[in-house]
C-alpha cells in the first residue's frame, strides 16, 4: 500500500513537472500559477484541447493518488474496524479529512513549484488568494465525488469518468457555454481563476464560492449516509 502511494506520489510530481514544461514552451498562453488560473476566457479555438489537457493533467494523478480510499474501507481493513464497533460515520469522515489534508499538501506543493517559473509566464495582477481557495474547494469536491462513486462502481472506472468530466466540462465552458448555470453544472471548470471570477474581480465569484462550500458539505453528508447503509461484512 505504501509502495503504491509512493509510486503515485512520484507520478504526481512528474505530472506537475510536465505541466510546467508545457507552460514554459508556450508562455504567451499561460499565466503565473497557471495551474489554478487557467486560460484566458478570450482564447477560443480548436487547439484549446491541448492546453486543457496540460491544465487538467495533474488532476488525473491527484485522483489516482486518492483513488481506492473508500473501496479499501469496504473490502479491506475497514471490516476489522467495524467488527471492533468502530463508527461507520467516523470512519468515512476521517477518510474524507485525510484526503482533504492530502489535497492541501498537493496545492501547497504546486504553489511552491510554480514560484520557480512564474517569471516566465504572463503576470496576474489580482485574485491569487481567491483562485487558490476555489482551486482547493473544487478539487476537494472532485475527490469527495470520487469517494461517493466508489461505493457504487470500481475505483478505476470512477477515475476515468471524473477525468473525462473535468476535461469535457472545461472545454465546453471555454468554447461555448459561459453562463453561471452552465458553470455550476460543469463545476470542474471553476478550478480556474479565469472562469470563477477570481482574476476579473467578478461578483459571481462569491456565488461560485458559496456553491463550492455547499457542494463539499453536501458530498460529505452523502458519503456518510451512503457508507452507513453499506454492509461491509
Amino acid at each position: 500500500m505504501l509502495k503504491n502511494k509512493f509510486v503515485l506520489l512520484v507520478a504526481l510530481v512528474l505530472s506537475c513537472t510536465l505541466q510546467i514544461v508545457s507552460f514554459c514552451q508556450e508562455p504567451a498562453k499561460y499565466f503565473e500559477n497557471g495551474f489554478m488560473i487557467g486560460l484566458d476566457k478570450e482564447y477560443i479555438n480548436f487547439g484549446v484541447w491541448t492546453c486543457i489537457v496540460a491544465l487538467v493533467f495533474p488532476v488525473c494523478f491527484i485522483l489516482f493518488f486518492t483513488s481506492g480510499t473508500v473501496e479499501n474501507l469496504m473490502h479491506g481493513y475497514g471490516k476489522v474496524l467495524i467488527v471492533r464497533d468502530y463508527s461507520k460515520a467516523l470512519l468515512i469522515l476521517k477518510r474524507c479529512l485525510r484526503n482533504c489534508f492530502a489535497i492541501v499538501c498537493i496545492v501547497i506543493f504546486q504553489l511552491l513549484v510554480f514560484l520557480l517559473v512564474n517569471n516566465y509566464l504572463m503576470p496576474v495582477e489580482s485574485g491569487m488568494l481567491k483562485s487558490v481557495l476555489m482551486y482547493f474547494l473544487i478539487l476537494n469536491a472532485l475527490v469527495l465525488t470520487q469517494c461517493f462513486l466508489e461505493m457504487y462502481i470500481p475505483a478505476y472506472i470512477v477515475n476515468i469518468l471524473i477525468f473525462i468530466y473535468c476535461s469535457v466540462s472545461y472545454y465546453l465552458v471555454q468554447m461555448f457555454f459561459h453562463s453561471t448555470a452552465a458553470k455550476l453544472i460543469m463545476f470542474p471548470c471553476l478550478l480556474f481563476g479565469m472562469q470563477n471570477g477570481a482574476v476579473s474581480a467578478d461578483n459571481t465569484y462569491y456565488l461560485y464560492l458559496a456553491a463550492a462550500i455547499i457542494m463539499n458539505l453536501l458530498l460529505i453528508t452523502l458519503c456518510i449516509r451512503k457508507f452507513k447503509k453499506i454492509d461491509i461484512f
Side-chain angles (χ1 to χ4, degrees):
M1 179 69 177
L2 289 176
K3 183 179 179 181
N4 290 339
K5 286 295 182 183
F6 177 76
V7 171
L8 288 170
L9 184 60
V10 171
L12 177 60
V13 171
L14 290 175
S15 72
C16 292
T17 303
L18 289 173
Q19 184 186 60
I20 288 176
V21 171
S22 67
F23 281 21
C24 291
Q25 287 178 340
E26 297 183 278
K29 292 182 180 178
Y30 300 102
F31 297 89
E32 55 183 309
N33 289 322
F35 74 96
M36 65 177 183
I37 299 298
L39 298 167
D40 194 315
K41 290 187 287 186
E42 303 302 320
Y43 183 50
I44 302 174
N45 62 54
F46 183 76
V48 77
W49 260 119
T50 56
C51 300
I52 285 175
V53 169
L55 282 163
V56 180
F57 192 52
V59 176
C60 176
F61 285 94
I62 292 170
L63 290 171
F64 276 106
F65 185 76
T66 57
S67 177
T69 52
V70 172
E71 194 173 68
N72 289 336
L73 288 180
M74 294 189 298
H75 304 293
Y77 67 92
K79 293 181 179 181
V80 177
L81 293 174
I82 297 301
V83 168
R84 296 175 179 174
D85 293 327
Y86 202 89
S87 167
K88 280 187 176 181
L90 185 58
L91 187 62
I92 188 66
L93 181 59
K94 287 181 69 174
R95 175 50 58 191
C96 291
L97 290 175
R98 286 181 183 178
N99 285 342
C100 180
F101 178 73
I103 293 169
V104 170
C105 294
I106 290 168
V107 173
I108 291 173
F109 170 77
Q110 289 179 294
L111 280 169
L112 292 175
V113 170
F114 265 84
L115 284 176
L116 302 174
V117 298
N118 273 337
N119 57 307
Y120 297 105
L121 306 173
M122 293 190 292
V124 176
E125 294 182 2
S126 63
M128 285 294 189
L129 290 176
K130 290 181 179 179
S131 294
V132 74
L133 176 59
M134 279 294 291
Y135 183 80
F136 162 73
L137 287 172
I138 298 299
L139 192 55
N140 195 60
L142 288 171
V143 171
L144 287 171
T145 302
Q146 176 191 55
C147 292
F148 182 70
L149 292 178
E150 282 184 9
M151 300 182 203
Y152 295 92
I153 53 181
Y156 71 94
I157 296 178
V158 173
N159 294 341
I160 294 171
L161 290 176
I162 294 180
F163 183 68
I164 292 174
Y165 178 48
C166 289
S167 303
V168 172
S169 294
Y170 190 21
Y171 177 79
L172 291 176
V173 169
Q174 183 75 20
M175 294 290 290
F176 306 111
F177 304 105
H178 310 297
S179 68
T180 299
K183 289 182 179 182
L184 289 174
I185 292 171
M186 295 178 278
F187 74 90
C189 72
L190 299 176
L191 281 164
F192 307 105
M194 285 292 177
Q195 294 294 345
N196 60 39
V199 175
S200 60
D202 192 334
N203 286 333
T204 55
Y205 171 83
Y206 296 101
L207 172 62
Y208 296 136
L209 179 63
I213 293 171
I214 292 170
M215 197 182 306
N216 276 270
L217 295 174
L218 178 61
L219 284 166
I220 289 175
T221 302
L222 289 174
C223 285
I224 292 173
R225 290 188 63 180
K226 178 60 182 175
F227 193 74
K228 286 172 68 175
K229 295 178 181 179
I230 289 178
D231 184 6
I232 63 175
F233 292 99

